[in-house]
Amino acid sequence: MARLDWPVPAAWHHVSMQSRALAGTAAAAGAALIAYGTVVERNWFALRRHDVPVLRDGTRPMRILHISDAHLTPGRHRLLAWIRSLAALEPDLIVNTGDSIAHPRAVQPLLEALGPLLDRPGVFVYGSNDLYTPTLKNPARYLWRSSSLEHQRSSPDLPWAELGEGMEAAGWMDGNNHRGRVKAGDLDVEIGGVHDSHLRRDRYEQIAGPTDPAADLRLGVMHSPEPAVLDRFVADGYDLLLAGHTHGGQVRLPLFGALVTNCGIDRRRARGLHRYPAEGAAPDGGAWLHVSGGLGTSPYAPVRFSCRPEATLLTLVPRIS
C-alpha cells in the first residue's frame, strides 16, 4: 500500500521550533542557576552585624558571635578557612546553635578551624545532624512537610560526644537541656539551653523557672526555633534567644523570602533579628530572637540561592529608654 505523506503546515513547524528553543533556554537557565547556587553562593560567606538593645543602662556593650549549621564534611576548605578567620572579630562570647558536622571525620577539622575562638567563653547545643548522618532525600518534600520524623534510626551514628567533649574541654558550656552562668567580657550571663526539639530531645522542664533578674543578660539557646519552646523561654524572662536550623530558607525568592523553614517558625523569621513574640504581642515586649541563616548545607542539597551562608556578630547595647 502506498504511504501517504501529509505535508506539515509551516505554522506548526514554526511553533514546534519555537517551543524547542524556549525549552532549551529554560533548561540552560536552570542549569546556570544550579551552578551558581552550588559553586558560587554556597561558598560566598557573609558576616551579618546587628545591634541588639537588650542591656541595662550604663552597661558596656558586649559582642556575641553566633554560628550555626556548618554541616561540615571533608573537603570544605573554604568553609574551614572562613570559620578560622572569625577569630579576628574577638567576640566576648561564641554561641554555636548546632548541626556542626555531617560526617564522622569532621570533628577535628572543625575544632582546629575554631582555633582561638575556643579560648573565649562559649556555649553550644546539638542539632540532628550532629547525631545522625544525612540521607539522600527529595528536597522538594520540604514544601509540604518537615524532616522531624526522618531521624528514626535506633542510635546516633555520628561522633557527637567527641564534638561536645572537644568544645567542653576548651571551656565552652554544654547547653543541651542545661542551665548555667558564664562570664563574658564584663557581664554575668545566665544561659538556658535545650537539645534539638526537631528530634524531640528538648527537655525544657529541666531548665524551667524564672531567670535571675540580677544577671546582666539572660540568654536562651536552641537549635530549632519552635514556637512552643520559644514561648517558654519568653515566659521565664530570657532577654535574647538564639537559634539556627532553618538555613534562612536556603532558597529564597526576591520579594517573597524563604519558601520553607522546616520547623514551626514563620517564614518572616527564617533568619535575622526580630522581636518574639511579634511587636506589641507581649505586655513586657517579649524577647529578641536571632535565627542564623547558617554556614552550610546538607551534602545532598549543596545549593543556596539568594541566601548566602553566614555567621552573625551581635553587638549588645543598652535598651532604648
Side-chain angles (χ1 to χ4, degrees):
M1 180 180 292
R3 183 172 58 90
L4 297 178
D5 292 326
W6 295 95
V8 179
W12 292 6
H13 178 73
H14 176 71
V15 169
S16 175
M17 293 297 292
Q18 189 178 51
S19 298
R20 291 177 185 175
L22 289 173
T25 300
L33 288 175
I34 292 173
Y36 163 79
T38 303
V39 178
V40 179
E41 188 161 320
R42 180 173 175 246
N43 294 296
W44 188 14
F45 305 105
L47 178 67
R48 312 291 183 191
R49 297 176 184 262
H50 296 286
D51 289 347
V52 190
V54 73
L55 301 178
R56 287 193 289 263
D57 287 344
T59 305
R60 291 180 58 183
M62 168 188 167
R63 300 197 303 170
I64 296 178
L65 176 63
H66 183 189
I67 59 176
S68 194
D69 297 274
H71 292 275
L72 187 63
T73 54
R76 294 299 312 277
H77 302 301
R78 288 189 180 93
L79 173 56
L80 289 169
W82 199 78
I83 292 173
R84 193 174 296 112
S85 74
L86 296 173
L89 298 171
E90 299 184 345
D92 299 299
L93 178 68
I94 299 92
V95 178
N96 178 358
T97 49
D99 272 4
S100 298
I101 60 174
H103 192 278
R105 297 197 304 273
V107 172
Q108 196 56 39
L110 176 66
L111 295 175
E112 291 173 359
L114 289 171
L117 289 173
L118 290 172
D119 296 331
R120 294 177 173 274
V123 57
F124 68 92
V125 292
Y126 295 125
S128 60
N129 282 276
D130 294 316
L131 280 70
Y132 298 98
T133 50
T135 57
L136 182 63
K137 65 193 74 165
N138 178 8
R141 71 169 61 188
Y142 290 113
L143 294 172
W144 65 83
R145 56 171 288 184
S146 81
S147 61
S148 61
L149 299 178
E150 294 175 359
H151 300 285
Q152 300 296 326
R153 285 164 278 184
S154 59
S155 60
D157 58 353
L158 282 178
W160 60 272
E162 179 186 346
L163 172 67
E165 289 165 2
M167 290 185 284
E168 280 193 280
W172 284 18
M173 172 183 161
D174 180 347
N176 293 285
N177 300 324
H178 292 155
R179 189 167 172 172
R181 303 290 269 256
V182 169
K183 185 76 171 179
D186 297 328
L187 302 188
D188 171 28
V189 183
E190 181 177 15
I191 299 176
V194 292
H195 206 306
D196 188 8
S197 55
H198 204 60
L199 287 178
R200 300 178 181 174
R201 289 176 176 252
D202 57 307
R203 302 291 182 268
Y204 193 89
E205 63 276 6
Q206 296 181 15
I207 67 166
T211 52
D212 184 357
D216 295 309
L217 173 70
R218 291 156 290 273
L219 178 65
V221 181
M222 70 213 79
H223 177 64
S224 182
E226 296 293 348
V229 179
L230 295 170
D231 290 343
R232 298 192 71 174
F233 275 113
V234 171
D236 279 341
Y238 286 86
D239 306 301
L240 175 62
L241 311 176
L242 301 186
H245 176 70
T246 65
H247 297 189
Q250 192 164 321
V251 173
R252 298 173 67 92
L253 298 182
L255 305 179
F256 184 81
L259 298 177
V260 295
T261 65
N262 196 26
C263 65
I265 199 72
D266 59 280
R267 290 188 306 102
R268 292 170 299 170
R269 294 186 178 89
R271 70 176 184 187
L273 183 68
H274 303 274
R275 297 307 300 265
Y276 187 90
E279 194 79 42
D284 60 355
W288 287 96
L289 167 66
H290 181 260
V291 179
S292 172
L295 287 163
T297 66
S298 165
Y300 294 112
V303 62
R304 281 179 175 259
F305 185 77
S306 194
C307 189
R308 290 169 62 187
E310 66 182 48
T312 307
L313 188 66
L314 301 168
T315 300
L316 278 49
V317 298
R319 297 181 183 93
I320 300 171
S321 300

